[in-house]
Amino acid sequence: MSGDLILYFSRAGENYYEGDLKVVEKVSLSDIEWISICLYYTKTRITNGDVFKVEPEIPYPEDYMECTEVTKNEKNGRVLKETLEDVGDYEGVYIGFPIWWGKMPIVFESQLNKLDFKGKVVKPFVTHEGSGFGKSKKQLKKLCKGADIRNGLEIKGSDVLGSKDKVKCWINDNL
């Protein structure tokens, strides 16, 4: 067995923070990417690990309002730019995504549907603007059958940049 996998989905572009729209520049990190990097650098000091970013073949619009129109009506999976086929060699899987409409984004469901999590330890982390994990814990139980799903980390998107200590404490609690 190798170390852990950090499997995440993130969307750059305009985002909603506490009633305001702010742009996440293309060259800067989105909230989930920032947490993923904290995880990666903290975890790799202890064990080997890999990172896989889930990306749709056709990107979501960068404009927040356009993106919300697309995502609120999504019902079926999306075609992925690249698909991770197996998590069999990993001891644990950190799973990260933003909460959209109170749940996991369809594009991320499309990836998780393709994987077998039986016997894996799953450690979820999410960003949100008030809904916490929403309905995503139920989604994770359905999509990660046979996994030991641990307590997750939820961080408000507007608080992400000041959450490094919270991320480190969560990692240490889940070793």
Side-chain angles (χ1 to χ4, degrees):
M1 290 267 191
S2 59
D4 293 332
L5 171 67
I6 300 167
L7 175 64
Y8 74 96
F9 164 71
S10 189
R11 177 196 152 273
E14 198 173 48
N15 284 289
Y16 180 83
Y17 297 106
E18 298 180 336
D20 294 323
L21 291 175
K22 295 182 181 175
V23 176
V24 177
E25 299 293 336
K26 288 182 182 181
V27 295
S28 70
L29 300 173
S30 67
D31 299 340
I32 289 291
E33 287 172 314
W34 186 89
I35 296 170
S36 297
I37 287 169
C38 285
L39 280 166
Y40 181 75
Y41 285 109
T42 303
K43 283 296 292 180
T44 52
R45 292 182 183 154
I46 299 158
T47 181
N48 293 326
D50 294 314
V51 177
F52 186 88
K53 181 179 180 181
V54 173
E55 297 180 80
E57 188 172 81
I58 299 170
Y60 287 102
E62 287 191 26
D63 178 83
Y64 179 79
M65 297 310 288
E66 287 178 44
C67 186
T68 59
E69 285 302 310
V70 169
T71 61
K72 76 178 178 183
N73 296 313
E74 272 187 322
K75 301 215 182 331
N76 300 317
R78 286 183 67 103
V79 176
L80 302 175
K81 187 174 181 179
E82 182 180 352
T83 303
L84 180 67
E85 299 296 332
D86 187 23
V87 293
D89 290 339
Y90 297 100
E91 295 172 15
V93 183
Y94 287 87
I95 292 179
F97 52 92
I99 298 295
W100 287 358
W101 304 104
K103 59 186 181 169
M104 177 188 305
I106 293 287
V107 65
F108 202 64
E109 278 188 57
S110 298
Q111 174 60 74
L112 295 186
N113 270 326
K114 299 176 183 331
L115 300 170
D116 179 4
F117 288 94
K118 189 175 182 181
K120 300 295 174 196
V121 174
V122 171
K123 303 166 189 178
F125 61 98
V126 300
T127 58
H128 63 91
E129 269 312 305
S131 61
F133 268 93
K135 297 176 183 176
S136 67
K137 285 188 177 182
K138 287 182 182 178
Q139 290 175 286
L140 284 169
K141 286 180 184 176
K142 180 181 172 189
L143 294 164
C144 303
K145 288 184 179 115
D148 173 7
I149 301 174
R150 301 283 172 90
N151 287 332
L153 173 68
E154 57 182 65
I155 297 178
K156 256 183 110 174
S158 54
D159 296 338
V160 163
L161 294 179
S163 65
K164 191 172 185 178
D165 288 339
K166 186 175 180 178
V167 172
K168 284 183 178 181
C169 284
W170 177 70
I171 293 167
N172 290 330
D173 289 347
N174 281 283
L175 292 177

Coordinates of all heavy atoms in Angstrom, one line a residue, residues 69-153:
E69 N -26.7 29.0 -12.8 CA -27.8 28.6 -13.7 C -27.5 27.2 -14.3 O -28.4 26.3 -14.4 CB -28.0 29.6 -14.9 CG -28.7 30.8 -14.4 CD -30.1 30.6 -13.8 OE1 -30.9 29.8 -14.4 OE2 -30.4 31.1 -12.7
V70 N -26.2 26.9 -14.6 CA -25.8 25.6 -15.1 C -26.0 24.6 -14.1 O -26.6 23.5 -14.3 CB -24.4 25.7 -15.7 CG1 -23.9 24.3 -16.0 CG2 -24.3 26.5 -16.9
T71 N -25.4 24.9 -12.9 CA -25.4 23.8 -11.8 C -26.7 23.5 -11.2 O -26.9 22.4 -10.8 CB -24.3 24.2 -10.8 OG1 -24.7 25.4 -10.1 CG2 -23.0 24.3 -11.3
K72 N -27.6 24.5 -11.0 CA -28.8 24.2 -10.3 C -29.7 23.3 -11.2 O -30.6 22.6 -10.6 CB -29.6 25.5 -9.9 CG -30.3 26.2 -11.0 CD -31.0 27.4 -10.4 CE -31.7 28.3 -11.4 NZ -32.3 29.5 -10.9
N73 N -29.5 23.2 -12.4 CA -30.3 22.3 -13.3 C -29.6 21.0 -13.7 O -30.2 20.2 -14.4 CB -30.8 23.1 -14.5 CG -31.7 24.3 -14.2 OD1 -32.6 24.1 -13.4 ND2 -31.3 25.4 -14.8
E74 N -28.4 20.8 -13.2 CA -27.7 19.6 -13.6 C -28.3 18.4 -12.8 O -28.5 18.4 -11.6 CB -26.2 19.7 -13.1 CG -25.3 20.3 -14.2 CD -23.8 20.2 -13.8 OE1 -23.5 20.4 -12.6 OE2 -23.0 20.0 -14.7
K75 N -28.6 17.4 -13.6 CA -29.2 16.2 -13.0 C -28.3 15.0 -13.3 O -28.3 14.0 -12.5 CB -30.6 16.0 -13.5 CG -31.5 17.2 -13.1 CD -32.9 16.8 -12.8 CE -33.8 17.9 -12.5 NZ -33.3 19.1 -11.9
N76 N -27.7 15.0 -14.4 CA -26.9 13.8 -14.8 C -25.4 14.1 -14.6 O -25.0 15.2 -14.5 CB -27.2 13.5 -16.3 CG -28.6 13.1 -16.5 OD1 -29.2 12.4 -15.7 ND2 -29.2 13.7 -17.6
G77 N -24.6 13.1 -14.7 CA -23.2 13.2 -14.5 C -22.6 14.0 -15.7 O -23.2 14.3 -16.7
R78 N -21.4 14.5 -15.5 CA -20.7 15.2 -16.5 C -19.5 14.4 -17.0 O -18.9 13.6 -16.3 CB -20.1 16.5 -15.9 CG -21.3 17.6 -15.7 CD -20.7 18.9 -15.2 NE -19.9 19.6 -16.2 CZ -20.3 20.7 -16.8 NH1 -21.5 21.1 -16.7 NH2 -19.5 21.3 -17.6
V79 N -19.1 14.7 -18.3 CA -18.0 14.0 -18.9 C -16.7 14.7 -18.2 O -16.6 15.9 -18.1 CB -17.9 14.2 -20.4 CG1 -16.7 13.6 -21.0 CG2 -19.2 13.5 -21.0
L80 N -15.8 13.8 -17.8 CA -14.6 14.3 -17.2 C -13.4 14.5 -18.1 O -13.3 13.7 -19.1 CB -14.2 13.4 -16.0 CG -15.3 13.2 -14.9 CD1 -14.8 12.1 -13.9 CD2 -15.6 14.5 -14.3
K81 N -12.6 15.4 -17.9 CA -11.4 15.6 -18.7 C -10.5 14.4 -18.6 O -9.9 14.0 -19.6 CB -10.7 16.9 -18.2 CG -9.5 17.4 -19.0 CD -9.0 18.7 -18.4 CE -7.9 19.2 -19.2 NZ -7.4 20.5 -18.6
E82 N -10.3 13.9 -17.4 CA -9.5 12.7 -17.1 C -10.2 12.0 -16.0 O -10.7 12.6 -15.1 CB -8.1 13.1 -16.7 CG -7.2 12.0 -16.5 CD -5.8 12.5 -16.1 OE1 -5.5 13.7 -16.2 OE2 -5.0 11.6 -15.7
T83 N -10.2 10.7 -16.0 CA -10.9 9.9 -14.9 C -9.8 9.1 -14.1 O -9.0 8.5 -14.7 CB -11.9 8.9 -15.5 OG1 -12.8 9.7 -16.3 CG2 -12.6 8.2 -14.5
L84 N -10.0 9.2 -12.8 CA -9.2 8.3 -12.0 C -9.9 7.0 -11.9 O -11.1 6.9 -11.7 CB -9.1 8.9 -10.6 CG -8.3 8.1 -9.5 CD1 -6.8 8.1 -9.9 CD2 -8.5 8.7 -8.1
E85 N -9.2 5.9 -12.3 CA -9.8 4.6 -12.4 C -9.8 3.8 -11.2 O -10.6 2.8 -11.1 CB -9.2 3.8 -13.6 CG -9.2 4.5 -14.9 CD -10.7 4.6 -15.4 OE1 -11.5 3.8 -15.1 OE2 -10.9 5.6 -16.2
D86 N -8.9 4.0 -10.2 CA -8.8 3.1 -9.1 C -8.2 3.8 -7.9 O -7.3 4.6 -8.1 CB -7.9 1.9 -9.6 CG -7.8 0.8 -8.5 OD1 -8.7 0.7 -7.7 OD2 -6.8 0.1 -8.6
V87 N -8.6 3.5 -6.7 CA -8.0 4.0 -5.5 C -7.4 2.8 -4.7 O -7.1 3.0 -3.5 CB -9.0 4.8 -4.6 CG1 -9.4 6.1 -5.3 CG2 -10.2 4.0 -4.2
G88 N -7.3 1.7 -5.3 CA -6.9 0.4 -4.6 C -5.6 0.5 -3.9 O -5.4 -0.2 -2.9
D89 N -4.6 1.2 -4.4 CA -3.3 1.3 -3.8 C -3.2 2.2 -2.6 O -2.1 2.3 -2.0 CB -2.2 1.6 -4.9 CG -2.0 0.5 -5.9 OD1 -2.4 -0.6 -5.6 OD2 -1.6 0.8 -7.0
Y90 N -4.2 3.0 -2.4 CA -4.1 4.0 -1.3 C -4.7 3.5 0.0 O -5.7 2.8 0.0 CB -4.8 5.3 -1.7 CG -4.2 5.9 -2.9 CD1 -4.7 5.7 -4.2 CD2 -3.0 6.6 -2.8 CE1 -4.1 6.3 -5.3 CE2 -2.4 7.2 -3.9 CZ -2.9 7.0 -5.1 OH -2.3 7.6 -6.2
E91 N -4.1 3.9 1.1 CA -4.6 3.5 2.4 C -5.9 4.3 2.7 O -6.9 3.8 3.3 CB -3.6 3.7 3.5 CG -2.4 2.8 3.3 CD -1.2 3.2 4.3 OE1 -1.5 3.9 5.2 OE2 -0.1 2.7 4.0
G92 N -5.8 5.6 2.4 CA -6.9 6.5 2.7 C -7.1 7.5 1.6 O -6.2 7.7 0.8
V93 N -8.3 8.1 1.6 CA -8.6 9.0 0.5 C -9.2 10.3 1.1 O -10.3 10.2 1.8 CB -9.6 8.5 -0.5 CG1 -9.8 9.5 -1.7 CG2 -9.1 7.1 -1.1
Y94 N -8.5 11.4 1.0 CA -9.1 12.7 1.4 C -9.9 13.2 0.2 O -9.5 13.2 -0.9 CB -8.0 13.7 1.6 CG -7.3 13.5 2.9 CD1 -6.2 12.7 3.0 CD2 -7.7 14.2 4.1 CE1 -5.5 12.5 4.2 CE2 -7.0 14.0 5.3 CZ -5.9 13.1 5.3 OH -5.2 12.9 6.5
I95 N -11.2 13.5 0.4 CA -12.1 13.9 -0.6 C -12.6 15.3 -0.4 O -13.2 15.6 0.7 CB -13.3 12.9 -0.6 CG1 -12.9 11.5 -1.1 CG2 -14.4 13.5 -1.6 CD1 -14.0 10.5 -1.1
G96 N -12.3 16.2 -1.3 CA -12.6 17.6 -1.1 C -13.4 18.2 -2.3 O -13.2 17.9 -3.4
F97 N -14.4 19.1 -1.9 CA -15.3 19.7 -2.9 C -16.0 20.8 -2.2 O -16.2 20.9 -1.0 CB -16.3 18.7 -3.5 CG -17.1 17.9 -2.4 CD1 -18.3 18.4 -2.0 CD2 -16.6 16.7 -1.9 CE1 -19.0 17.7 -1.0 CE2 -17.3 16.0 -0.9 CZ -18.5 16.5 -0.5
P98 N -16.5 21.8 -3.1 CA -17.4 22.8 -2.6 C -18.8 22.3 -2.4 O -19.2 21.4 -3.1 CB -17.3 23.9 -3.6 CG -17.0 23.2 -4.9 CD -16.2 22.0 -4.5
I99 N -19.6 22.9 -1.6 CA -21.0 22.6 -1.5 C -21.8 23.5 -2.4 O -21.6 24.7 -2.3 CB -21.5 22.7 -0.1 CG1 -20.8 21.8 0.9 CG2 -23.0 22.5 0.0 CD1 -21.0 20.3 0.6
W100 N -22.5 22.9 -3.4 CA -23.3 23.6 -4.3 C -24.7 23.2 -4.1 O -25.1 22.0 -4.1 CB -22.9 23.3 -5.8 CG -21.6 23.9 -6.2 CD1 -20.8 24.7 -5.5 CD2 -21.0 23.7 -7.5 NE1 -19.7 25.0 -6.3 CE2 -19.8 24.5 -7.5 CE3 -21.4 23.1 -8.6 CZ2 -18.9 24.5 -8.6 CZ3 -20.5 23.1 -9.7 CH2 -19.3 23.8 -9.7
W101 N -25.6 24.2 -3.9 CA -27.0 23.9 -3.7 C -27.2 22.9 -2.6 O -28.1 22.0 -2.7 CB -27.7 23.4 -5.0 CG -27.5 24.4 -6.1 CD1 -26.6 24.3 -7.2 CD2 -28.1 25.7 -6.3 NE1 -26.7 25.4 -8.0 CE2 -27.6 26.3 -7.4 CE3 -29.0 26.4 -5.5 CZ2 -28.0 27.5 -7.9 CZ3 -29.5 27.6 -6.0 CH2 -28.9 28.2 -7.1
G102 N -26.4 23.0 -1.5 CA -26.6 22.1 -0.4 C -26.1 20.7 -0.6 O -26.3 19.8 0.3
K103 N -25.3 20.4 -1.7 CA -24.8 19.1 -1.9 C -23.5 19.1 -2.7 O -23.0 20.1 -3.1 CB -25.9 18.3 -2.6 CG -26.3 18.8 -3.9 CD -27.5 18.0 -4.5 CE -27.8 18.7 -5.9 NZ -28.7 17.9 -6.7
M104 N -23.0 17.9 -3.0 CA -21.8 17.7 -3.7 C -22.1 18.0 -5.2 O -23.1 17.7 -5.7 CB -21.4 16.2 -3.6 CG -20.2 15.8 -4.4 SD -20.0 14.0 -4.3 CE -20.0 13.6 -2.6
P105 N -21.2 18.7 -5.9 CA -21.3 19.0 -7.3 C -21.4 17.7 -8.1 O -20.8 16.7 -7.9 CB -20.1 19.7 -7.7 CG -19.6 20.3 -6.4 CD -19.9 19.3 -5.4
I106 N -22.3 17.7 -9.1 CA -22.5 16.6 -10.0 C -21.2 16.1 -10.7 O -21.0 14.9 -10.8 CB -23.5 17.0 -11.2 CG1 -24.9 17.2 -10.6 CG2 -23.6 15.9 -12.3 CD1 -25.7 16.0 -10.1
V107 N -20.3 17.0 -11.0 CA -19.1 16.6 -11.7 C -18.3 15.7 -10.7 O -17.6 14.8 -11.2 CB -18.3 17.8 -12.1 CG1 -17.8 18.7 -11.0 CG2 -17.1 17.4 -13.0
F108 N -18.3 16.0 -9.4 CA -17.5 15.2 -8.5 C -18.2 13.8 -8.3 O -17.5 12.8 -8.2 CB -17.4 15.9 -7.2 CG -16.2 15.4 -6.4 CD1 -14.9 15.6 -6.8 CD2 -16.4 14.8 -5.1 CE1 -13.8 15.1 -6.1 CE2 -15.4 14.4 -4.4 CZ -14.1 14.5 -4.9
E109 N -19.5 13.8 -8.3 CA -20.3 12.6 -8.2 C -19.9 11.7 -9.4 O -19.7 10.4 -9.2 CB -21.8 12.8 -8.3 CG -22.4 13.2 -7.0 CD -23.9 13.2 -7.1 OE1 -24.5 12.2 -7.6 OE2 -24.5 14.2 -6.9
S110 N -19.7 12.3 -10.6 CA -19.3 11.5 -11.8 C -18.0 10.8 -11.5 O -17.9 9.6 -12.0 CB -19.2 12.5 -13.0 OG -20.4 13.1 -13.3
Q111 N -17.1 11.4 -10.8 CA -15.8 10.7 -10.5 C -16.0 9.6 -9.5 O -15.5 8.5 -9.6 CB -14.7 11.7 -10.1 CG -13.4 11.0 -9.6 CD -12.7 10.2 -10.7 OE1 -12.2 10.7 -11.6 NE2 -12.8 8.9 -10.6
L112 N -16.7 9.9 -8.4 CA -16.8 9.0 -7.3 C -17.6 7.7 -7.7 O -17.3 6.6 -7.2 CB -17.5 9.6 -6.1 CG -16.7 10.8 -5.4 CD1 -17.4 11.2 -4.1 CD2 -15.3 10.4 -5.1
N113 N -18.5 7.9 -8.6 CA -19.3 6.7 -9.1 C -18.4 5.7 -9.8 O -18.8 4.5 -9.9 CB -20.3 7.2 -10.1 CG -21.6 7.5 -9.5 OD1 -22.1 6.9 -8.5 ND2 -22.3 8.5 -10.1
K114 N -17.2 6.1 -10.2 CA -16.3 5.2 -11.0 C -15.4 4.4 -10.1 O -14.6 3.6 -10.5 CB -15.6 6.0 -12.0 CG -16.5 6.6 -13.1 CD -15.7 7.5 -14.0 CE -16.5 8.2 -15.0 NZ -17.7 7.7 -15.5
L115 N -15.4 4.7 -8.8 CA -14.4 4.1 -7.9 C -15.0 3.2 -6.8 O -16.1 3.3 -6.4 CB -13.7 5.3 -7.1 CG -13.0 6.3 -8.0 CD1 -12.5 7.5 -7.3 CD2 -11.8 5.6 -8.7
D116 N -14.1 2.2 -6.4 CA -14.5 1.3 -5.4 C -13.8 1.7 -4.1 O -12.6 1.6 -4.0 CB -14.1 -0.2 -5.8 CG -14.4 -1.2 -4.8 OD1 -15.1 -0.9 -3.7 OD2 -14.1 -2.4 -5.0
F117 N -14.6 2.1 -3.1 CA -14.0 2.5 -1.8 C -14.1 1.5 -0.7 O -13.7 1.8 0.4 CB -14.8 3.8 -1.4 CG -14.4 5.0 -2.2 CD1 -15.2 5.3 -3.3 CD2 -13.3 5.8 -1.9 CE1 -15.0 6.5 -4.0 CE2 -13.1 6.9 -2.6 CZ -13.9 7.2 -3.7
K118 N -14.4 0.2 -1.1 CA -14.5 -0.8 0.0 C -13.2 -1.0 0.7 O -12.1 -1.1 0.1 CB -14.9 -2.1 -0.7 CG -15.3 -3.2 0.3 CD -15.8 -4.4 -0.4 CE -16.1 -5.5 0.7 NZ -16.6 -6.7 0.1
G119 N -13.3 -0.9 2.0 CA -12.1 -1.0 2.9 C -11.2 0.2 3.0 O -10.2 0.2 3.7
K120 N -11.6 1.3 2.4 CA -10.8 2.5 2.4 C -11.3 3.4 3.6 O -12.4 3.4 4.0 CB -10.9 3.3 1.1 CG -10.5 2.6 -0.1 CD -9.0 2.3 0.0 CE -8.5 1.5 -1.1 NZ -7.2 0.9 -0.9
V121 N -10.4 4.3 4.1 CA -10.7 5.3 5.0 C -10.9 6.6 4.2 O -10.0 7.0 3.5 CB -9.6 5.5 6.1 CG1 -9.9 6.7 7.0 CG2 -9.4 4.2 6.9
V122 N -12.1 7.2 4.3 CA -12.4 8.4 3.6 C -12.5 9.6 4.5 O -13.2 9.5 5.6 CB -13.7 8.2 2.8 CG1 -14.2 9.5 2.2 CG2 -13.5 7.2 1.7
K123 N -11.8 10.6 4.2 CA -11.8 11.8 5.1 C -12.2 13.0 4.2 O -11.4 13.6 3.5 CB -10.3 12.0 5.6 CG -9.8 10.8 6.3 CD -8.3 10.9 6.6 CE -7.8 9.6 7.1 NZ -6.4 9.6 7.3
P124 N -13.5 13.4 4.3 CA -14.0 14.5 3.5 C -13.7 15.9 4.0 O -13.6 16.1 5.2 CB -15.5 14.2 3.5 CG -15.8 13.6 4.8 CD -14.5 12.8 5.1
F125 N -13.5 16.8 3.1 CA -13.4 18.2 3.5 C -14.2 19.1 2.4 O -14.2 18.8 1.2 CB -11.9 18.7 3.6 CG -11.1 18.5 2.4 CD1 -10.9 19.6 1.5 CD2 -10.5 17.3 2.0 CE1 -10.1 19.5 0.4 CE2 -9.7 17.2 0.9 CZ -9.5 18.3 0.1
V126 N -14.9 20.1 2.9 CA -15.7 20.9 2.0 C -15.6 22.4 2.4 O -15.2 22.8 3.5 CB -17.2 20.5 2.1 CG1 -17.4 19.1 1.8 CG2 -17.8 20.8 3.5
T127 N -15.9 23.2 1.4 CA -16.1 24.6 1.6 C -17.5 24.9 1.3 O -18.2 24.3 0.5 CB -15.2 25.5 0.7 OG1 -15.4 25.2 -0.6 CG2 -13.7 25.3 1.1
H128 N -18.0 26.0 2.0 CA -19.5 26.3 1.9 C -19.6 27.8 2.3 O -18.7 28.4 2.7 CB -20.3 25.4 2.8 CG -20.0 25.7 4.2 ND1 -20.7 26.6 5.0 CD2 -19.0 25.1 5.0 CE1 -20.1 26.6 6.2 NE2 -19.2 25.7 6.3
E129 N -20.8 28.3 2.1 CA -21.0 29.7 2.6 C -22.2 29.7 3.5 O -23.0 30.7 3.6 CB -21.3 30.7 1.4 CG -20.0 31.3 0.9 CD -19.1 32.0 2.0 OE1 -19.6 32.8 2.8 OE2 -17.9 31.6 2.0
G130 N -22.4 28.7 4.3 CA -23.4 28.6 5.3 C -24.2 27.3 5.5 O -24.8 27.1 6.4
S131 N -24.0 26.4 4.5 CA -24.8 25.1 4.6 C -24.0 24.0 5.2 O -24.5 22.9 5.3 CB -25.2 24.7 3.2 OG -24.1 24.5 2.3
G132 N -22.7 24.2 5.6 CA -21.9 23.1 6.2 C -21.8 22.0 5.1 O -21.7 22.3 3.9
F133 N -22.0 20.8 5.6 CA -21.9 19.6 4.7 C -23.2 19.5 3.9 O -23.2 18.7 2.9 CB -21.6 18.4 5.5 CG -20.1 18.0 5.6 CD1 -19.4 18.5 6.6 CD2 -19.5 17.3 4.6 CE1 -18.1 18.2 6.8 CE2 -18.1 17.0 4.7 CZ -17.4 17.5 5.8
G134 N -24.2 20.1 4.2 CA -25.5 20.0 3.5 C -25.9 18.5 3.5 O -25.8 17.8 4.4
K135 N -26.3 18.1 2.3 CA -26.7 16.7 2.1 C -25.5 15.8 1.6 O -25.7 14.6 1.3 CB -27.8 16.6 1.0 CG -29.1 17.3 1.4 CD -30.1 17.3 0.3 CE -31.3 18.1 0.7 NZ -32.3 18.2 -0.4
S136 N -24.3 16.4 1.6 CA -23.2 15.6 1.0 C -22.8 14.4 1.8 O -22.2 13.5 1.3 CB -22.0 16.5 0.8 OG -21.5 17.0 2.0
K137 N -23.0 14.4 3.1 CA -22.7 13.2 3.9 C -23.5 12.0 3.5 O -23.0 10.9 3.4 CB -22.8 13.4 5.4 CG -21.7 14.3 5.9 CD -21.8 14.4 7.5 CE -20.6 15.3 7.9 NZ -20.5 15.4 9.4
K138 N -24.8 12.2 3.2 CA -25.6 11.1 2.6 C -25.1 10.7 1.3 O -25.0 9.5 0.9 CB -27.1 11.5 2.5 CG -27.8 11.6 3.8 CD -29.2 12.0 3.7 CE -29.9 12.2 5.0 NZ -31.3 12.6 4.9
Q139 N -24.7 11.6 0.5 CA -24.1 11.3 -0.9 C -22.9 10.5 -0.7 O -22.7 9.5 -1.4 CB -23.8 12.6 -1.6 CG -25.0 13.4 -2.1 CD -24.6 14.7 -2.7 OE1 -24.2 15.6 -2.1 NE2 -24.7 14.7 -4.1
L140 N -22.0 10.9 0.2 CA -20.7 10.1 0.4 C -21.0 8.7 0.8 O -20.4 7.8 0.4 CB -19.9 10.8 1.4 CG -19.1 12.1 1.0 CD1 -18.5 12.8 2.1 CD2 -18.1 11.7 -0.1
K141 N -22.0 8.5 1.7 CA -22.3 7.1 2.2 C -22.7 6.3 1.0 O -22.4 5.1 0.9 CB -23.4 7.1 3.2 CG -22.8 7.6 4.6 CD -23.9 7.6 5.6 CE -23.4 8.2 6.9 NZ -24.4 8.3 8.0
K142 N -23.5 6.9 0.1 CA -24.0 6.1 -1.1 C -22.9 5.9 -2.1 O -22.8 4.8 -2.7 CB -25.1 7.0 -1.7 CG -25.7 6.3 -3.0 CD -26.8 7.2 -3.6 CE -27.2 6.7 -4.9 NZ -28.1 7.6 -5.6
L143 N -22.0 6.9 -2.3 CA -21.0 6.8 -3.4 C -19.7 6.0 -2.9 O -19.0 5.5 -3.7 CB -20.6 8.2 -3.8 CG -21.7 8.9 -4.6 CD1 -21.4 10.4 -4.7 CD2 -21.9 8.3 -6.0
C144 N -19.5 6.0 -1.6 CA -18.3 5.4 -1.0 C -18.7 4.1 -0.2 O -18.2 4.0 0.9 CB -17.5 6.4 -0.2 SG -17.0 7.9 -1.1
K145 N -19.5 3.3 -0.8 CA -19.9 2.1 -0.1 C -18.7 1.2 0.4 O -17.8 1.1 -0.3 CB -20.8 1.2 -1.1 CG -22.1 1.8 -1.3 CD -23.0 0.9 -2.2 CE -24.3 1.5 -2.4 NZ -24.6 1.8 -3.8
G146 N -18.9 0.8 1.6 CA -17.8 -0.1 2.2 C -16.7 0.7 2.8 O -15.7 0.1 3.3
A147 N -16.7 2.0 2.7 CA -15.6 2.9 3.3 C -15.9 3.2 4.7 O -17.1 3.3 5.2 CB -15.5 4.1 2.5
D148 N -14.9 3.5 5.5 CA -14.9 4.0 6.8 C -14.9 5.5 6.6 O -13.8 6.1 6.4 CB -13.8 3.5 7.6 CG -13.7 4.1 9.0 OD1 -14.6 4.9 9.4 OD2 -12.7 3.9 9.7
I149 N -16.0 6.2 6.7 CA -16.0 7.7 6.4 C -15.9 8.4 7.8 O -16.7 8.2 8.7 CB -17.3 8.1 5.7 CG1 -17.5 7.3 4.4 CG2 -17.4 9.6 5.5 CD1 -18.8 7.6 3.7
R150 N -14.8 9.1 7.9 CA -14.4 9.8 9.1 C -15.1 11.2 9.2 O -15.7 11.7 8.2 CB -12.9 9.9 9.2 CG -12.1 8.6 9.1 CD -12.2 7.9 10.5 NE -11.6 6.6 10.4 CZ -10.4 6.3 10.7 NH1 -9.5 7.3 10.9 NH2 -10.0 5.0 10.6
N151 N -14.9 11.8 10.4 CA -15.4 13.1 10.6 C -14.8 14.0 9.5 O -13.6 14.0 9.3 CB -15.1 13.6 12.0 CG -16.0 13.0 13.0 OD1 -17.1 12.6 12.7 ND2 -15.5 12.9 14.2
G152 N -15.5 14.9 9.0 CA -15.0 15.8 7.9 C -14.7 17.2 8.4 O -15.0 17.5 9.6
L153 N -14.1 17.9 7.6 CA -13.7 19.3 7.8 C -14.6 20.2 6.9 O -14.6 20.0 5.7 CB -12.2 19.5 7.4 CG -11.7 20.9 7.5 CD1 -11.7 21.4 8.9 CD2 -10.3 21.0 6.9

